[in-house]
Amino acid sequence: MNVYVARQPILNQSKETVAYELLFRDGLQNSMNYKINGYAATQKILSNSMVAFGIGKLASNKKVFVNFTEQNITNGDVELLPPEMVVIEILENTEPTAPLLAKCKELKDNGYTFALDDFVFEPKYQPFIDLADIVKIDFLITNTAEEREKIRYIIPQHIKLLAEKVETQQEYTQALSFGYELFQGYFFCKPVIISEKTARVDITAQFMLMREMNSAHVDINRIEDIIKNDLSLIHKLLKYINSPYIGIPNEVRNLRQAIALLGINGVRNWVNLVCIRDLSSEKPNELFVILLIRAKFCELAAENIPAKNSEKDTAFLIGMLSLSDVVLDQPIEKVIDELGLAPEIKAALLFRQNDLGQLLNMVTDYEHGDWEKVKNWCHENNFSEELLASLYNEVIHWATKMNEDINGSIQ
């Protein structure tokens, strides 16, 4: 049985990823299949996910937040996961019954951590508050500054507040000022647009390299000349290609050899990876991880569509550039024009009109756990749902290791 899972990052006050919430399904059809018992589905998902994915690898060895039904908790299914790994999320519609509270107290004594999901205060939930380590506040529901600030006075100070569905930098800053300690949402994916970014030498060089590498006719000698004139780029390229994960059998000792072994597509991927990493260095590292996942997921999906196999490198590029506006705090139209991208890449990034744009839509739908839309894409493209789930698992592992390698290569 395949396990479908997406993950959403949870960040701390320094915008560092400290955990992931895992969104499970046991099939894409489950988004509309109301005959499936929630308890049985969660039980099956937990046991299978431990085998199919390895939750530690899926969450990059960080904690995981997982929703549990009352029955999953009282029957002991939570204990399939070790206490140091999991945060038990109690859903907002769960009643604090005596059997549930007794089991929660037992789990708490055994070291488990509890979070209250989509919390709205009612006196009857006080026993849950007494157990909680974390309370999640939905910023779409609690949507005024007064309500968001009031929560901090209602909830005891030793309980951490997690602001979820935080969509803008302004909301993040507001939550921070009110004493929230954890954050979930896409606020780091919403750019603060400024009229003009001051051009620093490194940004100019990075853009020059990206423009040359992504042009219709790549001049490899020109690429070599640009890299030669920047000692840091030489260091990064040699460290990257000598990384065990890249898989080059012999140690590479010079720039020409590195370029020849990687080939044009390999150099293009390296350029886009390193430049995006450098240009987003002031952003949360999770932004770069999301771009890695998008790029590789786009590439592998395109590779497994016969009509799109030849466009897999373009698909990788589209995923990598999909948040260029956020990376550079510039309108994406301006970024795309400056990079001189081909018309079909522009159409995919700006309007999601062509097949590659729809592929990018599917990847972002997968990020959000919008399984019905993902299922529709699979149907329209005659794509195996089981294969897609397997590819996502592969992508998560690849992105985790690549993030380590790229960050290592730029230090």
Side-chain angles (χ1 to χ4, degrees), residues 32-84:
M32 298 298 290
N33 188 344
Y34 299 106
K35 295 181 180 179
I36 294 178
N37 177 275
Y39 160 71
T42 299
Q43 188 180 49
K44 187 162 48 174
I45 287 163
L46 283 173
S47 59
N48 279 281
S49 64
M50 292 294 288
V51 175
F53 289 110
I55 283 185
K57 290 182 179 179
L58 181 63
S60 304
N61 293 316
K62 294 178 172 61
K63 279 207 169 193
V64 294
F65 284 58
V66 180
N67 291 325
F68 292 95
T69 67
E70 176 181 0
Q71 193 174 3
N72 289 124
I73 294 173
T74 55
N75 283 16
D77 297 326
V78 170
E79 291 158 287
L80 288 167
L81 300 174
E84 66 273 10

Side-chain angles (χ1 to χ4, degrees), residues 6-19:
R7 69 181 198 181
Q8 293 184 354
I10 294 171
L11 285 68
N12 63 13
Q13 293 174 329
S14 301
K15 295 186 180 180
E16 299 168 333
T17 304
V18 293

